Amino acid sequence: MTKAIPYPFDALTHKSGKINPVLSLSFVVFIGISALLLGCREKPANKGIRLLPGTYEVLFNAGEVEIPARLRITEDHKWCFHNWDETIVIDSVVLSDTSFFIKMPLFNTTLGGKILSETEFEGRWRDLSRASPYSVDFKARRISPENVACAVDMEKSNQKSIYEVVFSPGSPENSSKAVGVFYKKNNQLVGTFMTESGDYRFLQGAHTGSSIALSSFDGAHLFYFCANVSGDSLTGGKFYSGNHWQEDWTGFANTHARLRDPDSLTYVTKKDEAFRFYALNSQGDSILFDSAFFKNRVTIVQVFGSWCPNCTDESIFMKQLYANNKDRGLIILPIAFERNPDFEISKNAVLSQFKELELQYEPYFGGYSKASAAKVFSQLNTISSFPTTIFIDSSGSVRRIHTGFYGPGTGEHFLHNTKEITDFVNELLNELKAPVKTSL
């Protein structure tokens, strides 16, 4: 729930006693002059502005464009960001006079600024997970006293479009493929882009005339996609990530658009060696994970970052998978690769997220980049994505490595992906023959 901090005040206490009659007139005069002076003092101009309930448009300044986000303030003054099917409820709104401060859920980011009127505010989004300061300014205004909800239901929409997409098409070294899946109702448009490293989660926007625009803000990432529509093609596309990244993209309609098998991208190169690696625990001690650890259990190694929304989607899925199978011998082993090289800052960000998600297993720490991940998992050809998920059987053999994670924003792909993982883990657990060992 929204938490409003009351204005501080001093409790004034007065001691009373007998007044000397000689001083009574002076006392009365003193009181009268004091009252007059107090009455002439300038009163505080404002004791705080409360924003009116309703739907607000938040515009983030990304330089060339303003990236829109959708915020609703409820009648009981909860703040909720909306991205299509996703609602992010903020329960840490701190109000003081005409200012506000928010710690975003799950991620090490904040929003803070000034309330300008009952229907307008402005401020700055800060990402504290990075090694260098990063922020984006924004302004917001109320566009409706009502809850303006997205009316597009992907399960019922008969206007589904699938596009084969190329990002950075003019750059052979940076070019990458994606599949765009969109659903339309009237001029409303929702959907996502699936890539070989995951997906861009819940995108929402509009198809007006001959152009489309989609955006999303989840506390960790700020995305904006726009393009022209020309027949079956999407041309002149631009993708903006905050105010630090932009690239071109194109697409053409193709119901058969596919990406490479996510289980084929990362693999063990040194198959004649027992799989092993080191990671740090939360005390900073180096821990060896090898065949002795993997024996008589099924282990899922989750290569992740607390700053990564795809990883968070996977963690939410892993939470339930673990709850259903921990008594059968399943271990989840998360290895974090954070953006900030300060171990304490990174550790606290991860532990805070695990506490919010109520995960029942401990995280470990591997480093601060894909290069660090490649060193930790030196027996693999690459770590190209966060998350990357390694499935290890009871003999210590790597049985499968899955690159990326298709989250709930991908609809049927999410359902297929999670069912496939669940079935595979069940197969590995059924192979266990010895009594299980579930404690670390």
Side-chain angles (χ1 to χ4, degrees):
M1 292 179 63
T2 302
K3 301 176 182 177
I5 294 181
Y7 301 118
F9 64 92
D10 294 324
L12 301 178
T13 58
H14 301 274
K15 294 181 179 179
S16 60
K18 293 182 179 180
I19 300 177
N20 190 320
V22 177
L23 299 178
S24 61
L25 179 61
S26 298
F27 180 77
V28 171
V29 171
F30 171 75
I31 293 298
I33 294 174
S34 298
L36 179 63
L37 291 174
L38 286 172
C40 293
R41 282 178 59 188
E42 182 178 350
K43 295 181 179 180
N46 202 318
K47 280 291 185 180
I49 304 172
R50 174 162 285 188
L51 290 165
L52 293 175
T55 300
Y56 287 74
E57 180 183 54
V58 184
L59 296 175
F60 290 88
N61 183 2
E64 291 184 2
V65 297
E66 290 184 317
I67 302 179
R70 294 148 293 273
L71 172 71
R72 180 168 62 96
I73 299 179
T74 66
E75 292 290 342
D76 56 354
H77 301 285
K78 288 182 181 178
W79 291 33
C80 308
F81 277 98
H82 292 277
N83 303 303
W84 178 19
D85 267 356
E86 177 181 57
T87 298
I88 301 169
V89 180
I90 300 169
D91 59 2
S92 61
V93 180
V94 178
L95 303 174
S96 178
D97 290 338
T98 58
S99 66
F100 67 93
F101 178 81
I102 293 169
K103 166 67 172 68
M104 289 298 294
L106 298 178
F107 304 109
N108 193 17
T109 63
T110 64
L111 297 171
K114 296 180 180 179
I115 301 174
L116 305 177
S117 71
E118 291 180 331
T119 58
E120 294 180 302
F121 61 94
E122 65 182 16
R124 182 168 294 172
W125 168 52
R126 288 183 170 87
D127 186 347
L128 307 179
S129 71
R130 300 172 184 265
S132 301
Y134 181 81
S135 64
V136 181
D137 292 337
F138 64 84
K139 57 186 178 182
R141 64 182 181 88
R142 189 172 76 148
I143 59 175
S144 172
E146 307 298 329
N147 174 23
V148 181
C150 176
V152 182
D153 185 338
M154 66 179 178
E155 299 298 330
K156 297 178 181 179
S157 175
N158 59 2
Q159 296 190 57
K160 177 181 178 181
S161 301
I162 300 176
Y163 287 84
E164 184 172 327
V165 174
V166 179
F167 287 101
S168 296
S171 174
E173 63 275 14
N174 296 319
S175 179
S176 62
K177 292 184 178 182
V179 175
V181 182
F182 310 123
Y183 304 87
K184 180 184 175 184
K185 181 176 181 180
N186 300 323
N187 70 335
Q188 292 190 68
L189 188 70
V190 300
T192 195
F193 293 87
M194 295 183 294
T195 73
E196 291 184 345
S197 60
D199 65 274
Y200 284 98
R201 306 187 75 251
F202 298 94
L203 301 174
Q204 180 178 340
H207 180 178
T208 54
S210 60
S211 65
I212 65 170
L214 294 156
S215 65
S216 176
F217 174 69
D218 57 20
H221 287 137
L222 176 64
F223 294 143
Y224 182 71
F225 299 85
C226 59
N228 300 315
V229 181
S230 177
D232 289 339
S233 298
L234 300 174
T235 62
K238 283 282 190 180
F239 163 49
Y240 299 85
S241 179
N243 57 16
H244 69 282
W245 175 260
Q246 62 175 277
E247 65 179 319
D248 299 333
W249 64 278
T250 61
F252 66 91
N254 180 4
T255 57
H256 302 292
R258 295 289 185 273
L259 299 171
R260 291 183 295 175
D261 180 359
D263 290 346
S264 68
L265 305 179
T266 301
Y267 50 85
V268 176
T269 56
K270 302 177 180 179
K271 296 182 179 181
D272 56 333
E273 298 179 4
F275 189 69
R276 65 202 301 268
F277 61 91
Y278 288 89
L280 303 180
N281 63 16
S282 58
Q283 288 74 48
D285 302 320
S286 182
I287 307 297
L288 171 64
F289 297 97
D290 60 4
S291 55
F293 176 87
F294 303 133
K295 186 177 181 181
N296 294 335
R297 55 176 38 149
V298 172
T299 306
I300 298 178
V301 179
Q302 183 191 22
V303 184
F304 82 108
S306 68
W307 47 268
C308 163
N310 283 161
C311 300
T312 305
D313 286 338
E314 184 184 57
S315 292
I316 293 170
F317 164 68
M318 289 293 178
K319 174 183 176 179
Q320 190 59 51
L321 184 68
Y322 177 73
N324 293 341
N325 294 287
K326 62 180 180 179
D327 293 335
R328 298 176 63 196
L330 177 64
I331 290 291
I332 308 292
L333 191 61
I335 312 296
F337 291 84
E338 296 297 286
R339 287 173 166 173
N340 196 313
D342 186 306
F343 179 75
E344 289 300 315
I345 292 175
S346 292
K347 179 185 75 173
N348 290 336
V350 173
L351 293 177
S352 175
Q353 185 181 81
F354 270 49
K355 182 178 180 180
E356 284 189 69
L357 290 174
E358 298 181 336
L359 300 181
Q360 300 301 308
Y361 38 83
E362 295 297 319
Y364 292 82
F365 302 86
Y368 308 99
S369 64
K370 289 181 181 178
S372 297
K375 291 180 180 179
V376 171
F377 299 102
S378 59
Q379 292 167 291
L380 306 181
N381 66 318
T382 184
I383 296 289
S384 61
S385 170
F386 297 108
T388 293
T389 312
I390 307 168
F391 299 84
I392 304 172
D393 66 18
S394 59
S395 69
S397 298
V398 174
R399 297 283 290 274
R400 179 178 181 181
I401 304 176
H402 190 88
T403 298
F405 183 78
Y406 291 150
T410 66
E412 61 187 22
H413 299 278
F414 167 69
L415 297 176
H416 174 77
N417 185 25
T418 53
K419 182 181 185 304
E420 193 175 54
I421 291 173
T422 300
D423 290 345
F424 183 71
V425 169
N426 190 55
E427 289 179 18
L428 295 182
L429 290 171
N430 286 338
E431 294 175 4
L432 290 175
K433 297 178 180 180
V436 299
K437 178 176 58 176
T438 59
S439 59
L440 294 181

